[in-house]
Amino acid sequence: MCGIVGAVAQRDVLPILLEGLKRLEYRGYDSAGLAILDRDGKLQRTRVLGKVAELSAATAAEPPVGGTGIAHTRWATHGRPSVDNAHPHVCREQIALVHNGIIENHESMRETLRGEGYEFGSQTDTEVVVNRVHAHRASGRDLLAAVSATVAELDGAYAIGVIDTDEPDRLVAARRGSPLVVGVGIGEHFIASDVFALLPVTRQFIYLEDGDIVDIQRDRLTIYDHTGQVVERPVMTSELAADAVDKAGYRHYMLKEIFSQPVAVADTLTGRIEHGQVLDTAFGMAASDIFSRIEHVHIVACGTSYHAGLVASYWIEALAGLTCRVEIASEYRYRAHVVPENTLFVALSQSGETADTLAALSLARALEYSACLAICNNPESSLTRESDLVFLTRAGPEIGVASTKAFTTQLVALLLLTIALGRRNRIDSELERRLVAELETLPGHINTALQLNDAIGQVAEEFSHKHHALYLGRGTMLPVAMEGALKLKEISYIHAEAYAAGELKHGPLALVDEDMPVIAVAPNNSLLEKLKSNLQEVRARGGVLYLFADSSAGVPAEDAVRVLNLARVPETIAPIVYTIPLQLFAYHIAVIKGADVDQPRNLAKSVTVE
Ligand code: G6P
């Protein structure tokens, strides 16, 4: 989704803006731009269709020199990717504005502004905002008052940054529903969509709350809440290293993140288990009390996080003996609900900024849940701020758009939750000790699975010219297959669908021939024999099989059957381990196809608009 960077400083801000945008590239975007107030008080704007490197090149010949500027990476919503639609948008060479979010009442505002003589050069919803700020400035308000008056007229979600040639040492920013942080410097201040963008210039951050407006000048910054009152927001020190977002020698962030999973999983377990027991406090101080009453669990999430929720539903029902429902957030938020007494609501999100998941949480808070738990990888997200209980996965920053280590650490969190909830019901201390011991072996099992990297690279070679694929799994391996198919779609652009293996005969078998490869995940569990029968059905139709199987599963490699053997893994943690080869499989295919692995076309890392 769109990324914002802005600065008010004595020094030239061009390099800060460009570096900030580079660090936001992972969010996904199609065009980029910046505007700087130069030393003559004029707006210098550059916009490009394409990458930040092209923006950098476009400013290289005559770099704009000035201490106040805003910059943006755009992920198109209203209007196709183009230079005209790229931000910043400028009104009458005076006001420049960048925006992340969607303005829902832009059409009516545009009509009114046209009536007042304003012209529009783009198809975006954003351009009404900059024109409206200008109209309020023209009626005598200063920039702060003009932005306040404008945001009061907006329906929808926004994070904006605005500069003005008539007030050159000032940047006014505001947020509602879209993320925005303020970077606090010494004699200089910044804004950005997230802290990564600003780590080279500051470690001190203020997380703005919904409805906040911030007036930023070099030597002071003032925050106003949604009622217009001046408010103090805490300044937090980021623990993230500035190089937390480098590739550490790997070719892509995604590969680095796949290989960091043993550590990410170990970090997520650290301090959460003790003497063979899960510590309830990992979910918050009130967790013990709340968990003791829970009989039902509702999990809500999007994308990869939704798949983690689906795996957890098998664990929660089978191990903890509680009923569990899992739903996509964009569906959950728009329907009526029956919430049984003693139900825990779980919002699952890597970023904690996904618009649909946040809206689902806000709906859930108005319903009769016992409590809302956020499982999140971002400690300072809107999701964690708005939940009663919080479990932080410790995957570290995830930059590749296709989620990998966030998924496996979410699964760890969900298995810990299953144990904590089940302790009051079906999980006795012996079972708890066994499950905790299995969790502790996970980093080792993941390391072993990673050793398949080269073998998977070779198999990927012959697969890469395919156009479609079917993924099959049973039980907890069904959501793992769904996640494998999603990875392949996201980064290699090969159409892939996952099916419950038992559903094969009910439709997808009609598609199977030598051009429709079938990928199956086959740990040696109670469902193996049934899965093998499904695979025979594929073989009998001339289908080519790619099998990720337990070495003792007894599936021989033959002409049209490629078998990648995994070591024996305890059944409960198998979904976490079997995810690894599927991530590598999608990764290698995407690399062979020459796709943009870390920033796949049309996708965004954090979907902050509906
Ligand atoms: C986007 C990302 C996915 C992610 C999904 C949910 O689609 O590209 O990788 O799974 O959003 O994100 P969340 O941050 O809520 O887990």
Short mmCIF file of all heavy atoms in Angstrom, two decimals, residues 342-376:
data_model
loop_
_atom_site.label_atom_id
_atom_site.label_comp_id
_atom_site.label_asym_id
_atom_site.label_seq_id
_atom_site.Cartn_x
_atom_site.Cartn_y
_atom_site.Cartn_z
N ASN A 342 -19.00 -16.82 26.62
CA ASN A 342 -17.62 -17.27 26.86
C ASN A 342 -16.85 -17.55 25.58
O ASN A 342 -16.23 -18.61 25.42
CB ASN A 342 -17.60 -18.51 27.77
CG ASN A 342 -18.21 -18.20 29.11
OD1 ASN A 342 -18.06 -17.08 29.63
ND2 ASN A 342 -18.91 -19.16 29.69
N THR A 343 -16.93 -16.62 24.65
CA THR A 343 -16.18 -16.76 23.39
C THR A 343 -15.02 -15.77 23.36
O THR A 343 -15.19 -14.59 23.69
CB THR A 343 -17.10 -16.52 22.17
OG1 THR A 343 -18.20 -17.41 22.25
CG2 THR A 343 -16.35 -16.75 20.86
N LEU A 344 -13.88 -16.28 22.95
CA LEU A 344 -12.69 -15.43 22.77
C LEU A 344 -12.61 -15.02 21.31
O LEU A 344 -12.70 -15.88 20.42
CB LEU A 344 -11.44 -16.21 23.18
CG LEU A 344 -10.09 -15.48 22.99
CD1 LEU A 344 -9.94 -14.32 23.98
CD2 LEU A 344 -8.92 -16.46 23.16
N PHE A 345 -12.42 -13.74 21.05
CA PHE A 345 -12.22 -13.25 19.67
C PHE A 345 -10.72 -13.11 19.45
O PHE A 345 -10.02 -12.48 20.25
CB PHE A 345 -12.91 -11.90 19.50
CG PHE A 345 -12.75 -11.31 18.11
CD1 PHE A 345 -13.64 -11.63 17.10
CD2 PHE A 345 -11.69 -10.46 17.83
CE1 PHE A 345 -13.50 -11.10 15.82
CE2 PHE A 345 -11.54 -9.92 16.55
CZ PHE A 345 -12.45 -10.25 15.55
N VAL A 346 -10.22 -13.70 18.37
CA VAL A 346 -8.79 -13.61 18.08
C VAL A 346 -8.60 -12.93 16.72
O VAL A 346 -9.08 -13.41 15.70
CB VAL A 346 -8.12 -15.00 18.03
CG1 VAL A 346 -6.61 -14.87 17.77
CG2 VAL A 346 -8.35 -15.75 19.34
N ALA A 347 -7.93 -11.78 16.73
CA ALA A 347 -7.59 -11.08 15.47
C ALA A 347 -6.13 -11.40 15.18
O ALA A 347 -5.26 -11.18 16.01
CB ALA A 347 -7.78 -9.59 15.63
N LEU A 348 -5.91 -11.93 13.98
CA LEU A 348 -4.59 -12.44 13.62
C LEU A 348 -4.06 -11.60 12.48
O LEU A 348 -4.68 -11.52 11.42
CB LEU A 348 -4.81 -13.88 13.16
CG LEU A 348 -3.70 -14.87 13.12
CD1 LEU A 348 -3.04 -14.98 14.46
CD2 LEU A 348 -4.27 -16.24 12.72
N SER A 349 -2.92 -10.94 12.69
CA SER A 349 -2.40 -10.07 11.62
C SER A 349 -0.92 -9.83 11.82
O SER A 349 -0.49 -9.45 12.91
CB SER A 349 -3.15 -8.74 11.66
OG SER A 349 -2.54 -7.80 10.81
N GLN A 350 -0.14 -10.06 10.78
CA GLN A 350 1.30 -9.78 10.85
C GLN A 350 1.52 -8.31 11.12
O GLN A 350 2.22 -7.93 12.05
CB GLN A 350 1.94 -10.18 9.51
CG GLN A 350 3.45 -10.08 9.43
CD GLN A 350 3.98 -8.68 9.22
OE1 GLN A 350 4.87 -8.22 9.95
NE2 GLN A 350 3.45 -7.95 8.25
N SER A 351 0.90 -7.46 10.31
CA SER A 351 1.16 -6.02 10.38
C SER A 351 0.38 -5.32 11.47
O SER A 351 0.81 -4.29 11.99
CB SER A 351 0.79 -5.38 9.05
OG SER A 351 -0.61 -5.55 8.83
N GLY A 352 -0.78 -5.85 11.79
CA GLY A 352 -1.66 -5.15 12.73
C GLY A 352 -2.27 -3.90 12.13
O GLY A 352 -2.85 -3.08 12.85
N GLU A 353 -2.16 -3.73 10.82
CA GLU A 353 -2.70 -2.53 10.17
C GLU A 353 -3.65 -2.88 9.03
O GLU A 353 -4.05 -1.99 8.28
CB GLU A 353 -1.57 -1.64 9.63
CG GLU A 353 -0.61 -1.11 10.67
CD GLU A 353 -1.24 -0.13 11.67
OE1 GLU A 353 -2.39 0.30 11.46
OE2 GLU A 353 -0.56 0.17 12.68
N THR A 354 -4.00 -4.14 8.86
CA THR A 354 -4.88 -4.53 7.77
C THR A 354 -6.28 -3.96 8.02
O THR A 354 -6.90 -4.25 9.05
CB THR A 354 -4.91 -6.07 7.65
OG1 THR A 354 -3.58 -6.50 7.42
CG2 THR A 354 -5.80 -6.53 6.52
N ALA A 355 -6.77 -3.18 7.07
CA ALA A 355 -8.00 -2.42 7.30
C ALA A 355 -9.18 -3.33 7.65
O ALA A 355 -9.94 -3.04 8.59
CB ALA A 355 -8.33 -1.59 6.07
N ASP A 356 -9.35 -4.45 6.93
CA ASP A 356 -10.50 -5.32 7.20
C ASP A 356 -10.39 -5.98 8.57
O ASP A 356 -11.40 -6.14 9.27
CB ASP A 356 -10.60 -6.40 6.11
CG ASP A 356 -11.18 -5.84 4.82
OD1 ASP A 356 -12.07 -4.98 4.89
OD2 ASP A 356 -10.72 -6.24 3.74
N THR A 357 -9.18 -6.36 8.97
CA THR A 357 -9.01 -7.01 10.27
C THR A 357 -9.29 -6.00 11.39
O THR A 357 -9.91 -6.32 12.40
CB THR A 357 -7.60 -7.61 10.39
OG1 THR A 357 -7.37 -8.40 9.22
CG2 THR A 357 -7.45 -8.48 11.62
N LEU A 358 -8.84 -4.76 11.19
CA LEU A 358 -9.11 -3.72 12.19
C LEU A 358 -10.61 -3.45 12.30
O LEU A 358 -11.15 -3.29 13.41
CB LEU A 358 -8.38 -2.43 11.82
CG LEU A 358 -6.86 -2.45 12.03
CD1 LEU A 358 -6.23 -1.17 11.48
CD2 LEU A 358 -6.51 -2.61 13.51
N ALA A 359 -11.28 -3.43 11.15
CA ALA A 359 -12.73 -3.17 11.18
C ALA A 359 -13.45 -4.34 11.86
O ALA A 359 -14.41 -4.13 12.62
CB ALA A 359 -13.25 -2.98 9.76
N ALA A 360 -12.97 -5.57 11.62
CA ALA A 360 -13.58 -6.73 12.26
C ALA A 360 -13.39 -6.65 13.78
O ALA A 360 -14.31 -6.92 14.55
CB ALA A 360 -12.96 -8.02 11.72
N LEU A 361 -12.20 -6.23 14.19
CA LEU A 361 -11.94 -6.10 15.63
C LEU A 361 -12.86 -5.04 16.23
O LEU A 361 -13.44 -5.25 17.31
CB LEU A 361 -10.46 -5.72 15.86
CG LEU A 361 -10.09 -5.36 17.29
CD1 LEU A 361 -10.25 -6.55 18.23
CD2 LEU A 361 -8.64 -4.85 17.37
N SER A 362 -13.02 -3.95 15.52
CA SER A 362 -13.85 -2.90 16.09
C SER A 362 -15.31 -3.37 16.18
O SER A 362 -15.99 -3.07 17.16
CB SER A 362 -13.61 -1.63 15.29
OG SER A 362 -14.73 -1.08 14.84
N LEU A 363 -15.77 -4.18 15.21
CA LEU A 363 -17.12 -4.75 15.32
C LEU A 363 -17.18 -5.71 16.51
O LEU A 363 -18.12 -5.68 17.31
CB LEU A 363 -17.46 -5.48 14.01
CG LEU A 363 -18.73 -6.32 14.00
CD1 LEU A 363 -19.96 -5.46 14.26
CD2 LEU A 363 -18.90 -7.03 12.65
N ALA A 364 -16.16 -6.55 16.63
CA ALA A 364 -16.16 -7.55 17.71
C ALA A 364 -16.20 -6.88 19.08
O ALA A 364 -16.82 -7.40 20.01
CB ALA A 364 -14.91 -8.43 17.60
N ARG A 365 -15.57 -5.74 19.20
CA ARG A 365 -15.54 -5.06 20.49
C ARG A 365 -16.93 -4.61 20.92
O ARG A 365 -17.20 -4.42 22.10
CB ARG A 365 -14.59 -3.85 20.45
CG ARG A 365 -13.13 -4.28 20.30
CD ARG A 365 -12.19 -3.13 20.49
NE ARG A 365 -12.24 -2.65 21.86
CZ ARG A 365 -11.58 -3.19 22.87
NH1 ARG A 365 -10.81 -4.22 22.67
NH2 ARG A 365 -11.68 -2.72 24.07
N ALA A 366 -17.81 -4.45 19.93
CA ALA A 366 -19.18 -4.04 20.26
C ALA A 366 -20.08 -5.26 20.51
O ALA A 366 -21.24 -5.11 20.87
CB ALA A 366 -19.73 -3.20 19.12
N LEU A 367 -19.56 -6.46 20.29
CA LEU A 367 -20.36 -7.68 20.50
C LEU A 367 -20.02 -8.27 21.87
O LEU A 367 -19.20 -7.73 22.60
CB LEU A 367 -20.09 -8.68 19.36
CG LEU A 367 -20.45 -8.18 17.95
CD1 LEU A 367 -20.00 -9.18 16.89
CD2 LEU A 367 -21.95 -7.93 17.83
N GLU A 368 -20.66 -9.43 22.14
CA GLU A 368 -20.58 -9.96 23.51
C GLU A 368 -19.41 -10.91 23.73
O GLU A 368 -19.57 -11.94 24.37
CB GLU A 368 -21.89 -10.69 23.84
CG GLU A 368 -23.11 -9.80 23.75
CD GLU A 368 -23.15 -8.77 24.87
OE1 GLU A 368 -23.14 -9.17 26.03
OE2 GLU A 368 -23.13 -7.55 24.56
N TYR A 369 -18.26 -10.62 23.19
CA TYR A 369 -17.11 -11.50 23.41
C TYR A 369 -16.58 -11.34 24.83
O TYR A 369 -16.67 -10.25 25.42
CB TYR A 369 -16.00 -11.19 22.41
CG TYR A 369 -16.31 -11.68 21.02
CD1 TYR A 369 -16.77 -10.81 20.04
CD2 TYR A 369 -16.17 -13.03 20.70
CE1 TYR A 369 -17.08 -11.27 18.76
CE2 TYR A 369 -16.47 -13.48 19.43
CZ TYR A 369 -16.93 -12.61 18.46
OH TYR A 369 -17.23 -13.08 17.21
N SER A 370 -15.96 -12.41 25.35
CA SER A 370 -15.34 -12.32 26.68
C SER A 370 -14.13 -11.39 26.62
O SER A 370 -13.85 -10.67 27.57
CB SER A 370 -14.87 -13.69 27.17
OG SER A 370 -15.96 -14.54 27.26
N ALA A 371 -13.39 -11.46 25.51
CA ALA A 371 -12.22 -10.59 25.34
C ALA A 371 -11.75 -10.68 23.90
O ALA A 371 -12.11 -11.61 23.16
CB ALA A 371 -11.09 -11.05 26.27
N CYS A 372 -10.96 -9.68 23.48
CA CYS A 372 -10.36 -9.69 22.15
C CYS A 372 -8.85 -9.85 22.30
O CYS A 372 -8.21 -9.08 23.02
CB CYS A 372 -10.66 -8.38 21.41
SG CYS A 372 -12.41 -8.18 21.06
N LEU A 373 -8.31 -10.85 21.61
CA LEU A 373 -6.87 -11.11 21.65
C LEU A 373 -6.29 -10.78 20.27
O LEU A 373 -6.82 -11.23 19.25
CB LEU A 373 -6.63 -12.59 21.97
CG LEU A 373 -5.23 -13.16 21.65
CD1 LEU A 373 -4.16 -12.55 22.57
CD2 LEU A 373 -5.21 -14.69 21.81
N ALA A 374 -5.21 -9.99 20.25
CA ALA A 374 -4.49 -9.74 18.99
C ALA A 374 -3.24 -10.59 18.96
O ALA A 374 -2.47 -10.60 19.93
CB ALA A 374 -4.11 -8.27 18.89
N ILE A 375 -3.04 -11.32 17.87
CA ILE A 375 -1.75 -12.00 17.65
C ILE A 375 -1.11 -11.27 16.48
O ILE A 375 -1.66 -11.23 15.38
CB ILE A 375 -1.95 -13.50 17.36
CG1 ILE A 375 -2.55 -14.17 18.59
CG2 ILE A 375 -0.61 -14.16 16.97
CD1 ILE A 375 -2.80 -15.67 18.44
N CYS A 376 0.02 -10.64 16.76
CA CYS A 376 0.53 -9.64 15.83
C CYS A 376 2.06 -9.62 15.85
O CYS A 376 2.67 -9.95 16.87
CB CYS A 376 -0.04 -8.29 16.28
SG CYS A 376 0.27 -6.97 15.12
#
